[in-house]
Amino acid sequence: SAGREKVAGLLRSSLAPFRDVEISRKPPRKAQVAKASSDKWKLPQPVGEHLVFEHLPFKLAVVQELMYGQGLLRPEFDVHDFARDHAAREIDPDDYYHEMIPEVKAWFAALPIAKSLAAHVQRLYFDGGNDIYLQLIPQWDGEDEQFNITALSLQELAQFPMLREVVGTHWLSEAAQQLLRERGIAVLD
């Protein structure tokens, strides 16, 4: 009681102790009946050869461009639909603020991308609001570095002969930037 009064006194005496207060409550979940997945989100199998990635952040940048930027990679992933259809465990996408949903991460890591699509990748754009990142961490604020490209191999990069520009240097390690520039790819802020 005395501690609360001390804190209340400090707040009352401050010129502007705070402007906003947000209080939220998430109601307890009701037990759900076990369901079966529709297999709607079963990974597609590409015709012919597929691209090989060693580093997930680079793959995610390519998926952003092909799936959400150009609409060439199908199906267009929707985390909320995926969660509703997922039968192995209940997933609430809104519970994920700082870490990737493990099942979504696994889906994108295993997603095959046909080699024929590589020729369509001419530009990669990095931004905290990219659709791909909000599928993996729906409540992500874009403020940490977990999607940064800290490593990139020549073999990965060589698969994209039409790549001419990468925008968002703060998302790339110095080594990745250097490799891109050595391949004649413009690296822009």
Side-chain angles (χ1 to χ4, degrees):
S1 176
R4 279 187 284 174
E5 286 303 316
K6 184 177 180 180
V7 170
L10 288 171
L11 288 174
R12 281 192 288 271
S13 67
S14 180
L15 293 176
F18 55 89
R19 291 188 349 212
D20 299 310
V21 173
E22 181 179 322
I23 299 173
S24 64
R25 179 182 172 272
K26 196 169 194 176
R29 294 186 185 143
K30 296 177 184 175
Q32 291 190 343
V33 178
K35 63 179 180 177
S37 174
S38 71
D39 283 338
K40 177 179 182 179
W41 294 103
K42 184 177 179 180
L43 287 168
Q45 294 305 311
V47 176
E49 295 182 60
H50 60 273
L51 299 169
V52 177
F53 293 91
E54 298 171 38
H55 303 97
L56 183 60
F58 182 64
K59 181 178 186 178
L60 295 175
V62 170
V63 170
Q64 169 67 32
E65 177 61 20
L66 292 173
M67 184 178 285
Y68 300 102
Q70 298 182 33
L72 297 174
L73 185 57
R74 294 288 186 199
E76 183 175 300
F77 189 87
D78 178 272
V79 69
H80 295 284
D81 190 48
F82 178 86
R84 282 189 298 273
D85 191 60
H86 192 72
R89 76 173 180 101
E90 184 178 339
I91 300 171
D92 183 352
D94 294 327
D95 287 344
Y96 290 84
Y97 290 83
H98 305 290
E99 63 180 312
M100 292 183 227
I101 301 171
E103 292 85 351
V104 175
K105 179 181 179 183
W107 192 89
F108 279 112
L111 177 66
I113 303 173
K115 274 190 176 182
S116 60
L117 292 177
H120 296 277
V121 178
Q122 297 179 15
R123 180 178 193 256
L124 296 176
Y125 177 75
F126 294 95
D127 183 76
N130 282 359
D131 293 313
I132 187 73
Y133 306 134
L134 300 177
Q135 300 302 314
L136 287 150
I137 310 174
Q139 299 299 320
W140 189 54
D141 62 8
E143 297 298 321
D144 62 46
E145 299 175 355
Q146 62 185 309
F147 295 114
N148 286 11
I149 295 179
T150 57
L152 182 60
S153 74
L154 184 57
Q155 292 77 15
E156 284 176 297
L157 197 53
Q159 299 176 104
F160 300 94
M162 303 306 291
L163 182 59
R164 300 287 178 249
E165 181 178 90
V166 175
V167 179
T169 56
H170 63 281
W171 289 72
L172 304 165
S173 69
E174 287 296 324
Q177 289 182 46
Q178 182 178 347
L179 180 60
L180 289 163
R181 287 185 180 112
E182 287 172 1
R183 300 279 300 169
I185 299 166
V187 180
L188 310 170
D189 285 332

